[in-house]
Short mmCIF file of all heavy atoms in Angstrom, two decimals:
data_model
loop_
_atom_site.label_atom_id
_atom_site.label_comp_id
_atom_site.label_asym_id
_atom_site.label_seq_id
_atom_site.Cartn_x
_atom_site.Cartn_y
_atom_site.Cartn_z
N ILE A 192 55.92 56.11 -36.56
CA ILE A 192 57.31 55.90 -36.03
C ILE A 192 57.65 54.44 -36.03
O ILE A 192 56.88 53.63 -35.62
CB ILE A 192 57.36 56.46 -34.55
CG1 ILE A 192 56.84 57.92 -34.49
CG2 ILE A 192 58.74 56.19 -34.02
CD1 ILE A 192 56.59 58.52 -33.13
N ASP A 193 58.80 54.24 -36.58
CA ASP A 193 59.25 52.85 -36.66
C ASP A 193 59.61 52.29 -35.15
O ASP A 193 60.30 52.97 -34.38
CB ASP A 193 60.62 52.71 -37.40
CG ASP A 193 61.09 51.40 -37.44
OD1 ASP A 193 60.52 50.38 -37.08
OD2 ASP A 193 62.41 51.33 -37.98
N PRO A 194 58.96 51.24 -34.76
CA PRO A 194 59.12 50.86 -33.35
C PRO A 194 60.71 50.73 -33.01
O PRO A 194 61.12 51.02 -31.83
CB PRO A 194 58.58 49.43 -33.48
CG PRO A 194 57.46 49.50 -34.46
CD PRO A 194 58.06 50.48 -35.47
N ALA A 195 61.46 50.34 -33.92
CA ALA A 195 62.95 50.23 -33.67
C ALA A 195 63.60 51.45 -33.27
O ALA A 195 64.50 51.44 -32.48
CB ALA A 195 63.57 49.51 -34.73
N ALA A 196 62.97 52.64 -34.05
CA ALA A 196 63.67 53.83 -33.75
C ALA A 196 62.95 54.74 -32.63
O ALA A 196 63.32 55.82 -32.36
CB ALA A 196 63.72 54.59 -35.02
N ALA A 197 61.77 54.12 -32.11
CA ALA A 197 61.05 54.76 -31.10
C ALA A 197 61.71 55.12 -29.90
O ALA A 197 62.22 54.10 -29.23
CB ALA A 197 59.64 54.27 -31.04
N ASP A 198 61.72 56.17 -29.37
CA ASP A 198 62.37 56.45 -28.03
C ASP A 198 61.72 57.72 -27.43
O ASP A 198 60.75 58.40 -28.05
CB ASP A 198 63.87 56.58 -27.98
CG ASP A 198 64.27 57.81 -28.86
OD1 ASP A 198 63.49 58.61 -29.36
OD2 ASP A 198 65.56 57.99 -29.04
N GLU A 199 62.07 58.07 -26.26
CA GLU A 199 61.43 59.35 -25.57
C GLU A 199 61.45 60.49 -26.32
O GLU A 199 60.51 61.34 -26.45
CB GLU A 199 62.12 59.44 -24.24
CG GLU A 199 61.23 60.13 -23.25
CD GLU A 199 62.09 60.18 -21.93
OE1 GLU A 199 62.60 59.19 -21.50
OE2 GLU A 199 61.86 61.25 -21.21
N ALA A 200 62.66 60.77 -26.88
CA ALA A 200 62.79 62.11 -27.70
C ALA A 200 61.93 62.22 -28.85
O ALA A 200 61.33 63.27 -29.17
CB ALA A 200 64.33 62.16 -28.10
N ARG A 201 61.72 61.00 -29.61
CA ARG A 201 60.84 61.04 -30.92
C ARG A 201 59.35 61.39 -30.50
O ARG A 201 58.87 62.15 -31.23
CB ARG A 201 60.98 59.47 -31.37
CG ARG A 201 60.54 59.33 -32.85
CD ARG A 201 61.65 59.69 -33.74
NE ARG A 201 61.27 59.51 -35.17
CZ ARG A 201 60.25 60.08 -35.75
NH1 ARG A 201 59.92 61.22 -35.21
NH2 ARG A 201 59.97 59.70 -37.00
N PHE A 202 58.97 60.82 -29.33
CA PHE A 202 57.64 61.12 -28.86
C PHE A 202 57.49 62.54 -28.26
O PHE A 202 56.56 63.33 -28.61
CB PHE A 202 57.10 60.17 -27.84
CG PHE A 202 56.44 58.89 -28.59
CD1 PHE A 202 57.30 57.85 -28.91
CD2 PHE A 202 55.15 58.88 -28.83
CE1 PHE A 202 56.82 56.71 -29.43
CE2 PHE A 202 54.48 57.86 -29.60
CZ PHE A 202 55.38 56.64 -29.91
N ALA A 203 58.53 63.03 -27.60
CA ALA A 203 58.57 64.31 -27.06
C ALA A 203 58.53 65.39 -28.24
O ALA A 203 57.84 66.32 -27.99
CB ALA A 203 59.83 64.54 -26.17
N ALA A 204 59.09 65.01 -29.29
CA ALA A 204 58.98 66.01 -30.41
C ALA A 204 57.55 66.11 -30.96
O ALA A 204 57.14 67.18 -31.36
CB ALA A 204 59.90 65.48 -31.57
N LEU A 205 56.73 65.03 -30.84
CA LEU A 205 55.33 64.98 -31.33
C LEU A 205 54.54 65.98 -30.36
O LEU A 205 53.73 66.82 -30.69
CB LEU A 205 54.82 63.79 -31.21
CG LEU A 205 55.31 62.82 -32.44
CD1 LEU A 205 54.67 61.40 -32.17
CD2 LEU A 205 54.72 63.35 -33.90
N HIS A 206 54.75 65.70 -29.08
CA HIS A 206 53.92 66.38 -28.05
C HIS A 206 54.60 66.19 -26.80
O HIS A 206 55.00 65.12 -26.41
CB HIS A 206 52.50 65.99 -27.95
CG HIS A 206 51.64 67.06 -27.25
ND1 HIS A 206 51.57 67.00 -25.89
CD2 HIS A 206 50.82 67.88 -27.74
CE1 HIS A 206 50.67 67.97 -25.51
NE2 HIS A 206 50.21 68.51 -26.61
N LYS A 207 54.65 67.35 -25.95
CA LYS A 207 55.52 67.17 -24.69
C LYS A 207 54.71 66.25 -23.69
O LYS A 207 55.31 65.75 -22.72
CB LYS A 207 55.74 68.54 -24.06
CG LYS A 207 54.48 69.31 -23.69
CD LYS A 207 54.92 70.66 -22.96
CE LYS A 207 53.84 71.60 -22.45
NZ LYS A 207 52.58 71.39 -22.64
N SER A 208 53.48 66.07 -23.73
CA SER A 208 52.73 65.22 -22.82
C SER A 208 53.24 63.77 -22.87
O SER A 208 52.97 62.98 -21.87
CB SER A 208 51.17 65.31 -23.02
OG SER A 208 50.85 64.70 -24.24
N TRP A 209 53.81 63.34 -23.92
CA TRP A 209 54.24 61.91 -24.07
C TRP A 209 55.41 61.72 -23.16
O TRP A 209 55.61 60.50 -22.98
CB TRP A 209 54.62 61.61 -25.51
CG TRP A 209 53.57 61.58 -26.52
CD1 TRP A 209 53.37 62.23 -27.70
CD2 TRP A 209 52.37 60.73 -26.43
NE1 TRP A 209 52.16 62.01 -28.34
CE2 TRP A 209 51.56 61.06 -27.50
CE3 TRP A 209 51.96 59.91 -25.43
CZ2 TRP A 209 50.37 60.42 -27.72
CZ3 TRP A 209 50.77 59.07 -25.75
CH2 TRP A 209 49.98 59.37 -26.84
N VAL A 210 55.94 62.75 -22.59
CA VAL A 210 57.03 62.49 -21.65
C VAL A 210 56.49 62.69 -20.22
O VAL A 210 57.33 62.51 -19.27
CB VAL A 210 58.39 63.23 -21.94
CG1 VAL A 210 58.94 62.76 -23.08
CG2 VAL A 210 58.10 64.67 -22.01
N ASP A 211 55.28 63.07 -20.06
CA ASP A 211 54.71 63.25 -18.79
C ASP A 211 54.26 62.03 -18.14
O ASP A 211 53.60 61.20 -18.78
CB ASP A 211 53.41 64.29 -18.94
CG ASP A 211 52.80 64.68 -17.70
OD1 ASP A 211 53.26 64.02 -16.53
OD2 ASP A 211 51.92 65.43 -17.58
N PRO A 212 54.86 61.72 -16.95
CA PRO A 212 54.43 60.38 -16.40
C PRO A 212 52.94 60.26 -16.12
O PRO A 212 52.48 59.13 -16.12
CB PRO A 212 55.16 60.48 -14.96
CG PRO A 212 56.30 61.43 -15.13
CD PRO A 212 55.76 62.52 -16.14
N ALA A 213 52.27 61.44 -15.98
CA ALA A 213 50.83 61.34 -15.67
C ALA A 213 50.07 60.70 -16.91
O ALA A 213 49.09 59.90 -16.67
CB ALA A 213 50.19 62.73 -15.45
N THR A 214 50.54 61.03 -18.11
CA THR A 214 49.96 60.38 -19.19
C THR A 214 50.06 58.84 -19.23
O THR A 214 49.15 58.12 -19.45
CB THR A 214 50.65 60.81 -20.62
OG1 THR A 214 50.58 62.23 -20.56
CG2 THR A 214 50.08 60.31 -21.85
N TRP A 215 51.26 58.40 -18.90
CA TRP A 215 51.47 57.01 -18.91
C TRP A 215 50.90 56.30 -17.65
O TRP A 215 50.31 55.15 -17.79
CB TRP A 215 52.99 56.64 -18.92
CG TRP A 215 53.52 57.18 -20.08
CD1 TRP A 215 54.46 58.14 -20.51
CD2 TRP A 215 53.31 56.56 -21.46
NE1 TRP A 215 54.74 58.31 -21.68
CE2 TRP A 215 53.95 57.31 -22.47
CE3 TRP A 215 52.63 55.43 -21.95
CZ2 TRP A 215 54.00 57.11 -23.78
CZ3 TRP A 215 52.61 55.23 -23.23
CH2 TRP A 215 53.24 55.97 -24.22
N ARG A 216 50.57 57.07 -16.64
CA ARG A 216 49.92 56.50 -15.43
C ARG A 216 48.43 56.21 -15.91
O ARG A 216 47.76 55.09 -15.64
CB ARG A 216 49.87 57.49 -14.33
CG ARG A 216 51.15 57.24 -13.38
CD ARG A 216 50.86 57.86 -11.91
NE ARG A 216 50.63 59.28 -12.02
CZ ARG A 216 51.71 60.07 -11.93
NH1 ARG A 216 53.01 59.60 -11.74
NH2 ARG A 216 51.54 61.30 -11.95
N ALA A 217 47.84 57.17 -16.69
CA ALA A 217 46.46 57.08 -17.19
C ALA A 217 46.44 55.87 -18.13
O ALA A 217 45.43 55.06 -18.06
CB ALA A 217 46.04 58.26 -17.78
N VAL A 218 47.37 55.72 -19.05
CA VAL A 218 47.36 54.70 -19.94
C VAL A 218 47.52 53.22 -19.24
O VAL A 218 46.77 52.42 -19.51
CB VAL A 218 48.53 54.75 -21.02
CG1 VAL A 218 48.67 53.62 -21.85
CG2 VAL A 218 48.36 56.03 -21.82
N GLN A 219 48.38 53.40 -18.22
CA GLN A 219 48.51 52.08 -17.47
C GLN A 219 47.31 51.62 -16.83
O GLN A 219 46.83 50.49 -16.85
CB GLN A 219 49.68 52.25 -16.41
CG GLN A 219 50.01 51.02 -15.61
CD GLN A 219 50.92 51.27 -14.37
OE1 GLN A 219 50.85 52.18 -13.83
NE2 GLN A 219 51.68 50.35 -14.28
N ALA A 220 46.49 52.66 -16.20
CA ALA A 220 45.21 52.41 -15.60
C ALA A 220 44.27 51.88 -16.65
O ALA A 220 43.44 50.86 -16.34
CB ALA A 220 44.68 53.66 -14.90
N SER A 221 44.24 52.40 -17.86
CA SER A 221 43.29 51.90 -18.85
C SER A 221 43.57 50.54 -19.33
O SER A 221 42.70 50.02 -20.03
CB SER A 221 43.41 52.85 -20.06
OG SER A 221 43.46 54.19 -19.63
N THR A 222 44.65 49.92 -19.17
CA THR A 222 44.94 48.68 -19.75
C THR A 222 44.44 47.55 -18.88
O THR A 222 44.53 46.51 -19.35
CB THR A 222 46.63 48.42 -19.89
OG1 THR A 222 47.09 48.69 -18.41
CG2 THR A 222 47.23 49.40 -20.85
N SER A 223 43.79 47.88 -17.80
CA SER A 223 43.14 46.84 -17.14
C SER A 223 41.62 46.83 -17.61
O SER A 223 41.01 47.85 -17.68
CB SER A 223 43.16 47.03 -15.60
OG SER A 223 41.94 46.30 -15.11
N PRO A 224 41.12 45.62 -18.04
CA PRO A 224 39.69 45.58 -18.66
C PRO A 224 38.72 45.89 -17.43
O PRO A 224 37.69 46.51 -17.78
CB PRO A 224 39.59 44.14 -19.16
CG PRO A 224 40.55 43.42 -18.50
CD PRO A 224 41.75 44.29 -18.13
N TRP A 225 38.98 45.67 -16.28
CA TRP A 225 38.04 46.03 -15.16
C TRP A 225 38.40 47.29 -14.57
O TRP A 225 39.46 47.47 -14.22
CB TRP A 225 38.13 44.87 -14.04
CG TRP A 225 37.69 43.50 -14.55
CD1 TRP A 225 38.59 42.42 -15.15
CD2 TRP A 225 36.33 43.01 -14.76
NE1 TRP A 225 37.83 41.44 -15.44
CE2 TRP A 225 36.51 41.86 -15.39
CE3 TRP A 225 35.16 43.71 -14.67
CZ2 TRP A 225 35.41 40.90 -15.79
CZ3 TRP A 225 34.02 42.86 -14.99
CH2 TRP A 225 34.11 41.58 -15.56
N THR A 226 37.40 48.12 -14.53
CA THR A 226 37.66 49.44 -13.96
C THR A 226 36.62 50.06 -13.34
O THR A 226 35.35 49.84 -13.64
CB THR A 226 38.10 50.34 -15.28
OG1 THR A 226 38.18 51.73 -14.72
CG2 THR A 226 37.06 50.40 -16.27
N GLY A 227 36.83 50.84 -12.18
CA GLY A 227 35.78 51.50 -11.62
C GLY A 227 35.64 53.04 -12.14
O GLY A 227 34.92 53.86 -11.56
N PHE A 228 36.41 53.24 -13.05
CA PHE A 228 36.55 54.63 -13.58
C PHE A 228 35.20 55.30 -14.06
O PHE A 228 34.79 56.33 -13.66
CB PHE A 228 37.43 54.75 -14.82
CG PHE A 228 37.56 56.01 -15.49
CD1 PHE A 228 38.38 56.99 -15.08
CD2 PHE A 228 36.81 56.25 -16.69
CE1 PHE A 228 38.39 58.26 -15.79
CE2 PHE A 228 36.67 57.41 -17.29
CZ PHE A 228 37.55 58.48 -16.78
N HIS A 229 34.37 54.43 -14.83
CA HIS A 229 33.26 55.07 -15.19
C HIS A 229 32.03 55.14 -14.11
O HIS A 229 31.44 56.23 -14.11
CB HIS A 229 32.46 54.12 -16.32
CG HIS A 229 33.44 53.80 -17.61
ND1 HIS A 229 33.69 54.78 -18.44
CD2 HIS A 229 34.11 52.62 -17.78
CE1 HIS A 229 34.52 54.31 -19.33
NE2 HIS A 229 34.85 53.10 -18.95
N LEU A 230 32.09 54.25 -13.14
CA LEU A 230 31.16 54.55 -12.06
C LEU A 230 31.61 55.69 -11.34
O LEU A 230 30.73 56.45 -10.85
CB LEU A 230 31.23 53.23 -11.28
CG LEU A 230 30.35 51.93 -11.65
CD1 LEU A 230 30.57 50.77 -10.72
CD2 LEU A 230 29.03 52.28 -11.70
N LEU A 231 32.80 55.82 -11.03
CA LEU A 231 33.28 57.12 -10.23
C LEU A 231 32.92 58.38 -11.07
O LEU A 231 32.43 59.32 -10.58
CB LEU A 231 34.85 57.00 -10.06
CG LEU A 231 35.30 55.99 -9.07
CD1 LEU A 231 36.73 55.93 -8.93
CD2 LEU A 231 34.65 56.26 -7.73
N ALA A 232 33.09 58.24 -12.43
CA ALA A 232 32.83 59.51 -13.13
C ALA A 232 31.34 59.75 -13.19
O ALA A 232 31.01 60.86 -13.16
CB ALA A 232 33.23 59.19 -14.59
N ALA A 233 30.54 58.65 -13.12
CA ALA A 233 29.06 58.95 -12.91
C ALA A 233 28.73 59.67 -11.81
O ALA A 233 27.60 60.32 -11.61
CB ALA A 233 28.35 57.53 -13.09
#
Side-chain angles (χ1 to χ4, degrees):
Chain A
I192 302 164
D193 179 10
D198 60 6
E199 203 177 321
R201 196 79 176 75
F202 274 90
L205 287 173
H206 196 280
K207 62 175 177 0
S208 69
W209 289 124
V210 290
D211 185 352
T214 305
W215 295 109
R216 272 199 295 272
V218 172
Q219 187 188 34
S221 318
T222 53
S223 160
W225 297 99
T226 172
F228 173 84
H229 302 292
L230 281 179
L231 289 177

